[in-house]
Amino acid sequence: SQKIEQNSEALNIQEGKTATLTCNYTNYSPAYLQWYRQDPGRGPVFLLLIRENEKEKRKERLKVTFDTTLKQSLFHITASQPADSATYLCALDIPSGTYKYIFGTGTRLKVLA
Amino acid sequence: ETGVTQTPRHLVMGMTNKKSLKCEQHLGHNAMYWYKQSAKKPLELMFVYSLEERVENNSVPSRFSPECPNSSHLFLHLHTLQPEDSALYLCASSQDKDEYTQYFGPGTRLTVL
């Protein structure tokens, strides 16, 4: 079955630096991959979606890459700010014909001022 | 706000109680979801409704009973729960089966004593 691994449970970086979060999957390549942000006690908020035929997607300070050969997606936040501190989740579709997705456990990012 | 509301935000109940969680989406979406999020575990999909019809029941115990009276409202009825059911219960919606992005509510923090 498909498994998702997100690099580390927690990541601390200095303000202004680029944060890079990793999402690895173990089995089939998904048709698309999503990244969500979750703040404590809140529901996840959609950030970016990248499809299997796309190498890179950008939105303001966010960038997502998708490498089906490495079975990996990287999520970058450039010029990071303390307000970027949150847990970031990746999610993959399951090609079962229904509405199924699987989520990773997330990486908790802390941007230090 | 994402356009998805959940009530109550916090709930404490005994194992013999019966309670209900409510979700309402103001986005005009056709699909709604219930997820369970436990500490250090990925989001677990519980139920999926499309146009008020249940299309997915992810092997959830019968002590959880969903109800979708219309495309804007979703309920999760709880009875005779176990302490291990304590978790954050998240509701989400999406436009339709071709729209993969999900919009989550803030969740209900459930504690079963």
Side-chain angles (χ1 to χ4, degrees):
Chain A
S1 61
Q2 181 77 291
K3 291 192 189 303
I4 299 176
E5 295 175 358
Q6 293 195 238
N7 52 330
S8 56
E9 189 175 324
L11 179 66
N12 292 343
I13 64 163
Q14 207 63 40
E15 182 177 8
K17 301 291 186 184
T18 296
T20 298
L21 284 62
T22 305
C23 177
N24 294 298
Y25 54 93
T26 59
N27 202 347
Y28 60 84
S29 278
Y32 62 92
L33 186 149
Q34 302 181 67
W35 284 90
Y36 287 79
R37 169 183 173 144
Q38 186 174 22
D39 291 285
R42 306 296 298 271
V45 175
F46 170 75
L47 296 175
L48 282 168
L49 179 151
I50 188 166
R51 300 183 188 278
E52 60 180 337
N53 60 348
E54 297 176 315
K55 296 292 185 188
E56 182 179 299
K57 200 72 144 327
R58 290 176 185 262
K59 179 182 175 183
E60 298 173 350
R61 293 185 295 112
L62 308 180
K63 184 177 85 171
V64 172
T65 62
F66 194 3
D67 189 326
T68 55
T69 302
L70 293 178
K71 296 189 176 181
Q72 180 181 82
S73 174
L74 298 179
F75 176 78
H76 306 272
I77 306 175
T78 58
S80 59
Q81 305 165 1
D84 296 325
S85 299
T87 296
Y88 292 86
L89 310 173
C90 72
L92 314 178
D93 70 303
I94 298 178
S96 61
T98 60
Y99 303 81
K100 278 188 159 182
Y101 312 80
I102 56 170
F103 282 80
T105 52
T107 296
R108 190 171 65 251
L109 173 68
K110 186 170 184 179
V111 180
L112 306 170
Chain B
E1 295 300 324
T2 63
V4 181
T5 58
Q6 289 187 244
T7 55
R9 294 294 308 276
H10 300 273
L11 178 62
V12 179
M13 59 188 288
M15 288 191 285
T16 58
N17 291 158
K18 288 185 180 181
K19 296 286 185 183
S20 295
L21 310 184
K22 179 182 176 183
C23 175
E24 183 173 0
Q25 57 98 357
H26 312 273
L27 302 169
H29 288 170
N30 291 325
M32 296 187 77
Y33 313 76
W34 279 116
Y35 284 88
K36 175 184 178 182
Q37 188 176 36
S38 305
K40 299 189 185 297
K41 286 187 175 182
L43 283 166
E44 299 172 48
L45 180 65
M46 299 175 72
F47 301 104
V48 182
Y49 276 82
S50 175
L51 296 172
E52 302 140 48
E53 179 183 345
R54 190 191 306 179
V55 296
E56 190 72 38
N57 176 349
N58 213 22
S59 302
V60 179
S62 59
R63 56 186 184 269
F64 295 91
S65 174
E67 178 190 0
C68 187
N70 56 62
S71 59
S72 299
H73 294 86
L74 186 65
F75 295 89
L76 188 62
H77 303 298
L78 316 170
H79 63 98
T80 60
L81 295 191
Q82 305 298 312
E84 59 265 28
D85 296 323
S86 299
L88 182 68
Y89 287 84
L90 292 160
C91 172
S93 71
S94 64
Q95 180 64 46
D96 54 37
K97 65 178 182 178
D98 294 322
E99 176 57 54
Y100 303 117
T101 300
Q102 300 194 343
Y103 294 81
F104 286 84
T108 295
R109 173 66 63 186
L110 173 67
T111 303
V112 182
L113 301 176

